[in-house]
Amino acid sequence: NMTPGRQLGCYQDEKKLRILSNFYGNFLNSNTPQTCLDICVQAGFPFAGVQYGSECFCGENLPLLSSKINEDLCDMKCSGDPSKICGGYFTMNVMETGLNKFTAVTPQIVKNDSEEPARIIFLLTLNGRALRQVNRLINSLYRANHYFYIHVDKRQDYLYRKLSPLEKVFPNIKLATQRFASIWGGASLLQMLLTSMKEIFNLKWQWDFVINLSESDFPIKSIESLQNFLSVNRGYNFVKSHGREVQRFIKKQGLDKTFIECETHMWRVGDRQLPRGLVVDGGSDWIALSPAFVSYVVGNKDELLKGLDVIFRHTLLPAESFFHTVLRNSIFCNTYVDNNLHVTNWKRKLGCKCQYKHVVDWCGCSPNDFRIDDWPRIQNTQERQLFFARKFEPIINQEIITRVEQFIGLDDHYLLNNLEGYWQNIYDINDLTASTDDLFLTHAGSMIRHNSRILRESQCVINPTEIIEINLYNYEDVYKGNLILHKATLIDGTEILLETWYKPKQYTMFNFETPYGDNIKIFKVSSDYDQKEITFRNFANILGPLSEPNLLYQFSPSMTYVKGDNLTVVWLDPAGAIADVNILQLDDNNLTNFIKPQLKVPLLPGVWKVSLFDKLNMIVMTKFLILPLEYFSGKETTSQEATIIHSGSQNSYKNYTNFKGNNILPNEEESLLLKKVAQANVKRIGQDLREWVDNLTFAFYSILGTCASPINTKFSNTVCGNHKFELCSSTMWSSLSLDPKGTIGKLNEKTGRLD
Ligand code: UDX
C-alpha cells in the first residue's frame, strides 16, 4: 500500500523521513532474501541503498551515486519555501495519508521507561564578552530539574569571572575547571567537549541528554516541548549529517588533511589517507547525546576509539565529524538520528569569506546572526522538531531575541525594565591584561578628564580616578555610545562612582557636485571589520598607533554608474603625506565593501584623512583619529617608548608624488609645518602627552551624560556645585540600571524557573 514515486522533494517533517527509511528497514527484515540495493531499486530509487546494521536506508544520509540529482537542484526546488527541509536526495513521494501506518524500527537502545521527564545537561561552550546575553540564555533554559555545565574559553577571563558565582547559588550549575583555548575549528574544541563530558560523570547528575550550546544559540521552543520530545526519544543520539556525497564532504571539510594545533592556530601540515572500512560521517557539531553513548565515548577506549582519537587530535573542525563517525561505526549505529535540533542561519555568500585564516589554514564558514528580517525562518520551524536556533548576537540585533522569547512563551516583556537596552563590556578593571588595554585606558582616561572639565563649568569639581568598566550601549538596536564607569573624589574627599556616557563624532564631507556624491551611504573608518555582519566591531572607533584601520563604503544600490569604472581611495596621514592609495572598481558586487590599506604599524598619531576620488575630483572625505598612547604595557609611556610608537612609519610609504587630487594635499608650506608638528609630538610625554591626547579626543567625541552611584553609604547627596547627578540605578542608559533580561533571575521554588 505504498508506492514511492520519483519526486525530488521538500519535506516539512524530518520525522516522516526517518519513518520512511525505517520502513525499508522493516522490509529488509522480512523473510524475502534481498539486498539493500534490490530493495531501493524496487522501491523506485535511482540510486543504491546503504545498509546500517539491519536497516537499509534508501534516502537519508546516503552517499549520492547519481550526480544528476544534486544539492543545488534540491536547494533550487526548496528555496521557495524556507520552512521546508530540503529533501536532498530523497526521491520518494511521501504519502501523507499512508505514513502513520508504518511503525519505526526501534533501534537497539536501552529504554528508560520512567514517567519522569527527560533531564538535560546544557553544556554551554562560551566565548566572547556577551555576559548579559549568556545570562538571558540561562534564564530562558533554566529549570530546576535540568543542569548546566559551562566551559568558558581559557582566554575569556571576564566571562569566567562573572559566571563563577553561579556555582555557589545553584547546585545544578558547574563551571569547567579544566579550560581550553578552544579556537575556531581547532582540535581543542573536541578535547574540550570530551573533557567536559568526562567531568560530567563525576558530578553524579541524573541525566538523559547532554546538549551543547554556544553563547549565540537560543531556544526557539519552550523547554517543556524539548523535554517532552526528548522524553519519548531517550537513548537516541541526535547529530546532523552533511547530506551530500561523502567524498565531497571529506574534501570540503579538510578531513583528508592533517592539522596540528599549536599556539592557538590550526596548521595544515599535509595530506593523509583516512582508514579503510571506516564510515566517515559528519555535519554539524551541535548535538544531543545519550548518557550511554557519552559514557562509551569517554570511557575506556576500544580499538575504534583509540584509532579515532589519533585521527581527531589532528582534524580541523573535529566536533563536526567525531560523534557522527563514532555513532556510525559502533554498536550505537542504530541510535543515530539525523537532526541537530537546530535551525542555523546560513547565508554562505556572507559567511564564507575565509574569515578565520588567521586562526586556521583553511577557509571555514560561519552562520549569520539572525536579525528581525529573518523572523519567518524561525517562525516556520513550528511544525518541525527543531528547538534551537543560531546565531543570535544582541549587539547586532536584539529585537529578534525578544521576538523569539515571546514566541516561546515569555509574555511579560511589557513588565521588563530596559527591554530595548543592551550593554556589552569591552574593558573591566579585573581583566588579565590585554594588548588593547593601553589604548582603552588612554582613551577612557581622556574622556573622563573631558567630562570633569565640562562639570567644572557648573562649579562641580571632581577628580576622576580609577576606571572600573567600559561598556558599549545599544538602544533599540542602535549604537548609542560608550559608558565609562569610574571612581571619582568630590571636593570634600567623598569617593563616588560615576558613569560617563559619550559618543564618537563623524567628520565626513560629501561633494554633491560629483555624480557619485549623493549616492554614498557609508564612508567610514574603524577597525575589527566583520565581513559577515557588514559592521565594525570597534563601535566607538577607538584606534591607536598599533590598530589596523579599514574603510567601509556603501553606494546606493540604485546608483547609475559605468561598470568597471575606477575610483581612487587616498589615505593621508596627520603630517599630510599620502600613506596609501587603493583602487575601487565599480561593479554590482562591489557597491558595499571594505578596503584594508597597506599601512605599517606604528601609525602616526593624529588626525588622518581618507578621500575617494573620481579622477581628480573628490567625492567624499572622512577623518579618523589615531590616538597617541598615554600608557604603554600598563605604565605611563616613557620618552624612549614614545619615540618608537609615536613616530609613524613614513619610510614605508610608497612614492605617490604623482597623485594630484584636488583639495586634499597640503601645499609645501603647510606640509613643512605639519611635519614639524609631528616631529615635535614624538617628544611629548607626561602632562604634555596628556594634553595632546585630550585635544584629539575632545574633538572626536561628545559627552552625553553622567550619573552617580554611592560607593559607601556616606554619599547620599547627588548635588555637586550647581550640577545635580542622576542616580545611575534610575538612569535608563546606565549600565547600573535594572536589566532583568540580562541578569540571572531568582529561583522561583514553585515553578523551578528563574524569575
Ligand atoms: C560554525 C559552525 O556553526 C559550528 O558548528 C562550528 O563549530 C564552527 O563554525 P561559528 O558561528 O563559526 O560556527 O562558530 P562559533 O559559534 O563562533 O564558535 C563555535 C564554538 O566554539 C562556540 O561554542 C564558541 O564559544 C567556541 N569558541 C569559538 C571558543 O571557545 N573560542 C574561540 O576562540 C572561538
Side-chain angles (χ1 to χ4, degrees), residues 125 127 153 155 182 184 215 285-286 320 366 390-391:
T125 61
N127 183 37
D153 186 307
R155 297 159 295 176
S182 30
W184 189 95
E215 66 284 351
D285 56 3
W286 305 104
E320 290 190 347
S366 280
R390 78 190 309 265
K391 303 174 72 166

Side-chain angles (χ1 to χ4, degrees), residues 196-263:
S196 300
M197 288 174 182
K198 200 166 186 173
E199 189 53 33
I200 281 169
F201 279 103
N202 294 334
L203 296 170
K204 308 273 182 283
W205 285 346
Q206 296 298 313
W207 56 282
D208 300 290
F209 284 95
V210 59
I211 296 181
N212 62 336
L213 296 173
S214 80
E215 66 284 351
S216 51
D217 290 59
F218 210 77
I220 52 167
K221 293 215 174 64
S222 72
I223 299 309
E224 284 60 39
S225 64
L226 170 69
Q227 200 175 273
N228 293 342
F229 171 77
L230 292 178
S231 298
V232 295
N233 282 294
R234 280 186 170 96
Y236 286 97
N237 292 289
F238 294 83
V239 294
K240 189 166 176 59
S241 186
H242 53 88
R244 58 179 76 191
E245 198 259 319
V246 177
Q247 212 47 43
R248 226 177 105 192
F249 171 70
I250 290 176
K251 279 245 151 331
K252 185 206 122 234
Q253 198 77 1
L255 288 175
D256 54 355
K257 311 271 184 253
T258 296
F259 284 83
I260 292 185
E261 185 172 342
C262 178
E263 292 182 337

Side-chain angles (χ1 to χ4, degrees), residues 602-619:
L603 303 176
L604 190 66
V607 181
W608 285 64
K609 290 179 188 162
V610 189
S611 313
L612 181 66
F613 282 88
D614 178 14
K615 315 272 178 323
L616 291 183
N617 296 320
M618 195 189 80
I619 305 167

Side-chain angles (χ1 to χ4, degrees), residues 123-128 151-156 180-186 189 192-193 212-217 283-286 317-320 340 344 346 351 355-356 359 364-369 390-391 532:
L123 169 50
L124 305 186
T125 61
L126 308 178
N127 183 37
H151 176 274
V152 181
D153 186 307
K154 198 173 182 175
R155 297 159 295 176
Q156 301 294 349
F180 295 78
S182 30
I183 57 168
W184 189 95
L189 208 61
M192 175 269 284
L193 287 174
N212 62 336
L213 296 173
S214 80
E215 66 284 351
S216 51
D217 290 59
S284 161
D285 56 3
W286 305 104
L317 288 160
E320 290 190 347
N340 65 352
T344 308
W346 287 112
Q355 61 269 46
Y356 300 105
V359 183
C365 302
S366 280
N368 267 80
D369 290 336
R390 78 190 309 265
K391 303 174 72 166
K532 179 166 72 78

